Amino acid sequence: MPSSRPLRADARRNREALLAVAREAFRTGEADAHVEEIARRAEVAVGTFYRHFETREALIEEVYRQEVAELCAAPAHLLDRHAPDEALRHFLLLLVEHAAVGKGMAVALESIMATDSPIFDDARTQMAQALDQLLQAGTAAGTIRGDVSGRTLLRALGGICGMHATEGWQNEAVHITAILFDGLRFGAQNAD
């Protein structure tokens, strides 16, 4: 069981290497990459793998947590660089891109879908909160209507990105997201 103590520098490097290798493997569709192969590519022993992750599923969960954390950190950076409505538009497109990257991880994630892991509920909550942050900023600026919640918007995007089994789905999802974004601006106080 992983300890709550801070990791030594070499242990932290090993953990980060395992996560980076696994992330790349899952993103490129190598969902069935074995623990031994991940450890070999990370240039660590299999025992080192198990010191950091109890199971392969624990590694998959951590990779997904990192993906979601990076995604949900984006609104603050976007709001620093763009007007609130433009920041929201950029984030909606990041969510579509996340779904595209997630397509490569989908098979790996299936192994934890049958468990009682709260990872997917946690991810949806974080994404909805990130959307709420952007929606509230847009409403305060008068460029986004105020009657839509982050959770509702996330459900709409889930429907759009749920088409990922269809050829060319990502281009169509980007187009539909633009229509959705226009709807979020419709009726806003200062929408042009």
Side-chain angles (χ1 to χ4, degrees):
M1 192 68 152
S3 153
S4 60
R5 293 182 321 198
L7 294 174
R8 294 183 334 254
D10 61 330
R12 188 174 50 254
R13 277 191 304 275
N14 290 341
R15 179 180 170 79
E16 289 169 3
L18 287 163
L19 287 166
V21 165
R23 188 177 193 172
E24 184 60 26
F26 300 149
R27 279 184 163 189
T28 59
E30 292 181 71
D32 60 348
H34 295 281
V35 167
E36 295 80 7
E37 180 62 17
I38 291 169
R40 185 189 66 72
R41 290 183 195 173
E43 300 178 353
V44 301
V46 173
T48 300
F49 175 94
Y50 285 112
R51 274 194 292 283
H52 292 284
F53 304 100
E54 232 176 75
T55 63
R56 183 175 179 277
E57 287 72 24
L59 172 70
I60 294 167
E61 282 190 27
E62 188 57 30
V63 168
Y64 187 67
R65 263 191 204 94
Q66 279 187 344
E67 295 268 337
V68 171
E70 287 175 17
L71 176 68
C72 293
H77 303 294
L78 290 169
L79 286 168
D80 284 345
R81 289 188 292 240
H82 304 285
D85 59 333
E86 192 60 18
L88 176 61
R89 188 182 71 74
H90 281 287
F91 190 67
L92 292 174
L93 294 173
L94 284 175
L95 286 168
V96 171
E97 186 178 314
H98 172 75
V101 169
K103 185 179 177 190
M105 274 197 73
V107 175
L109 289 168
E110 283 176 12
S111 67
I112 58 174
M113 285 182 191
T115 70
D116 59 355
S117 173
I119 191 165
F120 298 112
D121 288 338
D122 293 347
R124 282 188 289 275
T125 297
Q126 289 176 54
M127 288 179 205
Q129 289 170 346
L131 284 166
D132 279 334
Q133 178 184 359
L134 291 162
L135 289 165
Q136 290 165 5
T139 300
T143 55
I144 298 294
R145 57 194 290 169
D147 62 343
V148 178
S149 72
R151 185 154 303 276
T152 299
L153 186 51
L154 187 61
R155 284 187 180 134
L157 280 168
I160 293 167
C161 293
M163 310 179 308
H164 63 73
T166 309
E167 186 69 31
W169 77 271
Q170 193 170 356
N171 289 335
E172 192 172 358
V174 167
H175 183 73
I176 296 170
T177 300
I179 295 168
L180 180 63
F181 176 69
D182 286 345
L184 290 168
R185 297 182 69 214
F186 180 78
Q189 179 182 348
N190 296 328
D192 32 357

